[in-house]
C-alpha cells in the first residue's frame, strides 16, 4: 500500500490540500480497501495554522522520508515569501532518493525548482506564473500548456483543479485506471480537459505604459483583418522596424506578429459565440485567407479546434 505524505506549511492552500486528501480517501472508499495510506507532515511535526484553519499533522520530515510519494499542495502566488519561509525544506528535498516520487500542485512547482530538482526536466505550474517561473528557473523545461507533467519520479500540475488531474493520475498508476475513472465520476470531474492553453488569456493583461505603443495597439485592433507587416506597423508608429521590435517586446512581451495573431484569434473566439458565423467567414473577418490556416493557428494558441471551442461554449451555463 503506497504511503503518500502531504506537506503542510503556513502558505498551503486549504482547498488544494483538502482536494488531494479527498481524492485519495475517496479512492480507498470506492475500492472497499485501503489503497493509499495518507499522512500529513510539516517541517517540525507541529500543527500548522492556515489562517482560518489549524491543520494537525502526523509527523515531521523523518516521517515523510519513509513515504513512497511526497505531495506538495499549492502554496499561492506570493513566491518570494513562500520560498523564504520554506528555505529549510529545499536542501532536504534535494537529497530525496530517486525511488521516492515528488509531486507538486500548482505553485508548489517553485519549491521543487528552487531545490534544483527540475533542472533539465519537464514541468508545469499555473499559467499565470509562467513568466515568473521562466525568469527564475530558465534551466527547467517549462511546458505551461500542460495540465500535468510526469518526468521520471517528478510530477507537477497546473492551476487549481489540475491538481485533481494529478491525483487521479497517481490513483490510476497505483490502483488502476478503472478506480481513477470511478473517483472522477464521483467528483463529477471531467478528466479529459485538454491543456491549460484553453484557460490562459491570449493577450497581455497589463496596460501598456508606452503611450505611443498603446496607440499602435488600438490601431491594430481596428485594422486586424487587413494585411499587416512589420514595415506597415513601423510606419504607423513613426519609427524604424528595429526600434519597433524592441519597444513592442518591452511593452507587451511579444513580437508584433505574435501579438497580431493572438489579437486575431481572440476576436475569433468572440465571433465563434454566434452560431450564425461560419468558420470561413470568421477566418476572413480576422485576416486569414483560408480556414485551414486559421484552424491550425487557433488550435496552436487555444489548445483546441475552433469547432471544439464553439461546442464547449454552447455547453457552458
Amino acid at each position: 500500500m503506497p504511503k503518500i505524505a502531504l506537506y503542510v506549511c503556513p502558505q498551503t492552500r486549504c482547498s488544494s490540500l483538502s482536494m488531494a486528501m479527498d481524492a485519495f480517501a475517496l479512492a480507498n472508499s470506492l475500492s472497499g480497501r485501503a489503497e493509499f495510506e495518507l499522512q500529513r507532515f510539516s517541517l517540525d511535526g507541529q500543527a500548522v495554522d492556515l489562517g482560518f484553519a489549524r491543520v494537525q499533522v502526523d509527523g515531521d520530515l523523518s516521517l515523510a522520508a519513509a513515504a513512497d510519494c511526497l505531495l506538495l499542495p499549492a502554496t499561492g502566488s506570493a513566491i518570494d515569501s513562500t520560498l523564504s519561509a520554506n528555505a529549510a525544506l529545499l536542501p532536504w528535498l534535494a537529497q530525496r532518493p530517486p525511488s521516492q516520487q515528488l509531486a507538486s500542485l500548482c505553485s508548489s512547482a517553485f519549491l521543487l525548482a528552487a531545490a534544483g530538482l527540475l533542472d533539465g526536466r519537464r514541468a508545469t505550474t499555473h499559467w499565470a506564473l509562467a513568466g515568473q517561473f521562466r525568469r527564475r528557473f530558465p534551466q527547467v523545461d517549462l511546458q505551461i500548456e500542460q495540465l500535468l507533467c510526469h518526468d521520471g519520479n517528478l510530477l507537477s500540475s497546473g492551476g487549481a483543479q489540475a491538481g485533481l488531474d494529478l491525483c487521479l493520475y497517481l490513483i490510476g498508476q497505483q490502483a488502476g485506471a478503472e478506480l481513477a475513472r470511478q473517483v472522477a465520476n464521483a467528483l463529477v470531474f471531467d478528466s479529459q480537459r485538454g491543456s491549460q492553453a484553453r484557460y490562459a488569456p491570449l493577450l497581455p493583461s497589463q496596460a501598456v505604459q508606452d503611450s505611443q505603443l498603446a496607440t499602435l495597439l488600438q490601431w491594430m485592433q481596428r485594422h486586424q483583418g487587413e494585411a499587416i507587416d512589420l514595415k506597415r506597423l513601423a510606419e504607423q508608429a513613426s519609427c524604424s522596424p528595429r526600434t519597433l521590435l524592441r519597444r513592442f517586446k518591452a511593452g507587451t512581451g511579444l513580437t508584433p506578429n505574435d501579438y497580431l495573431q493572438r489579437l486575431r484569434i481572440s476576436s475569433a473566439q468572440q465571433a465563434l459565440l454566434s452560431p450564425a458565423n461560419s468558420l470561413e467567414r470568421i477566418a476572413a473577418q480576422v485576416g486569414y485567407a483560408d480556414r485551414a490556416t486559421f484552424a491550425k493557428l487557433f488550435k496552436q494558441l487555444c489548445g483546441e479546434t475552433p469547432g471544439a471551442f464553439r461546442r464547449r461554449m454552447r455547453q457552458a451555463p
Side-chain angles (χ1 to χ4, degrees):
M1 177 173 56
K3 294 182 179 180
I4 298 180
L6 295 97
Y7 179 58
V8 186
C9 65
Q11 295 75 34
T12 297
R13 290 294 181 259
C14 274
S15 58
S16 183
L17 174 63
S18 61
M19 176 182 64
M21 294 287 295
D22 287 348
F24 292 110
L26 186 55
N28 287 341
S29 176
L30 292 173
S31 176
R33 63 181 183 182
E35 298 283 356
F36 303 93
E37 180 181 346
L38 302 177
Q39 299 172 321
R40 294 185 296 270
F41 73 100
S42 62
L43 283 175
D44 57 6
Q46 300 299 308
V48 180
D49 187 357
L50 300 185
F52 58 87
R54 188 168 180 80
V55 178
Q56 300 296 322
V57 298
D58 303 295
D60 58 11
L61 297 182
S62 60
L63 175 144
D68 298 294
C69 175
L70 299 181
L71 195 152
L72 311 181
T75 49
S77 58
I79 304 303
D80 287 332
S81 59
T82 295
L83 293 179
S84 176
N86 293 277
L89 177 71
L90 304 183
W92 183 84
L93 284 175
Q95 296 170 6
R96 304 317 309 140
S99 59
Q100 190 175 49
Q101 278 190 321
L102 302 176
S104 65
L105 306 187
C106 195
S107 51
S108 282
F110 282 82
L111 292 171
L112 294 184
L117 293 166
L118 297 181
D119 291 357
R121 309 288 284 272
R122 292 180 293 107
T124 189
T125 187
H126 194 292
W127 56 261
L129 301 173
Q132 185 176 172
F133 193 97
R134 287 194 173 100
R135 287 192 296 273
R136 288 176 181 265
F137 310 112
Q139 66 275 32
V140 179
D141 181 9
L142 184 65
Q143 301 191 354
I144 200 62
E145 73 283 356
Q146 298 299 320
L147 289 171
L148 168 68
C149 273
H150 183 186
D151 191 330
N153 68 328
L154 301 173
L155 297 97
S156 54
S157 64
Q161 295 303 312
L164 188 50
D165 287 281
L166 188 149
C167 293
L168 291 170
Y169 181 81
L170 287 174
I171 292 170
Q173 254 194 343
Q174 300 294 336
E178 176 58 22
L179 181 58
R181 185 187 66 80
Q182 291 177 23
V183 173
N185 288 344
L187 294 173
V188 196
F189 182 76
D190 181 6
S191 57
Q192 305 298 321
R193 296 182 297 124
S195 73
Q196 284 203 90
R198 292 169 55 183
Y199 308 100
L202 290 173
L203 296 170
S205 57
Q206 295 182 343
V208 174
Q209 301 302 314
D210 184 330
S211 60
Q212 288 185 312
L213 180 58
T215 299
L216 179 63
L217 297 183
Q218 293 172 359
W219 181 89
M220 292 175 72
Q221 174 75 43
R222 296 193 301 271
H223 298 270
Q224 60 181 284
E226 303 172 12
I228 299 176
D229 57 16
L230 182 60
K231 181 180 178 181
R232 186 180 180 188
L233 288 174
E235 291 174 350
Q236 187 65 31
S238 300
C239 64
S240 69
R242 183 175 180 178
T243 297
L244 178 62
L245 280 172
R246 176 179 53 78
R247 290 173 59 186
F248 211 102
K249 185 73 173 180
T252 68
L254 301 168
T255 67
N257 185 62
D258 286 342
Y259 187 93
L260 177 61
Q261 304 315 316
R262 288 172 174 270
L263 177 62
R264 288 171 168 173
I265 296 302
S266 180
S267 296
Q269 287 180 325
Q270 294 300 313
L272 282 164
L273 299 180
S274 171
N277 292 326
S278 68
L279 295 187
E280 289 80 2
R281 180 181 180 184
I282 293 172
Q285 283 179 341
V286 299
Y288 296 106
D290 60 88
R291 171 176 169 171
T293 300
F294 161 65
K296 181 179 180 180
L297 186 60
F298 191 100
K299 186 174 183 179
Q300 178 183 325
L301 291 177
C302 303
E304 60 187 337
T305 65
F309 174 85
R310 171 173 270 171
R311 288 191 294 273
R312 183 163 61 88
M313 291 299 100
R314 284 179 180 173
Q315 295 169 358

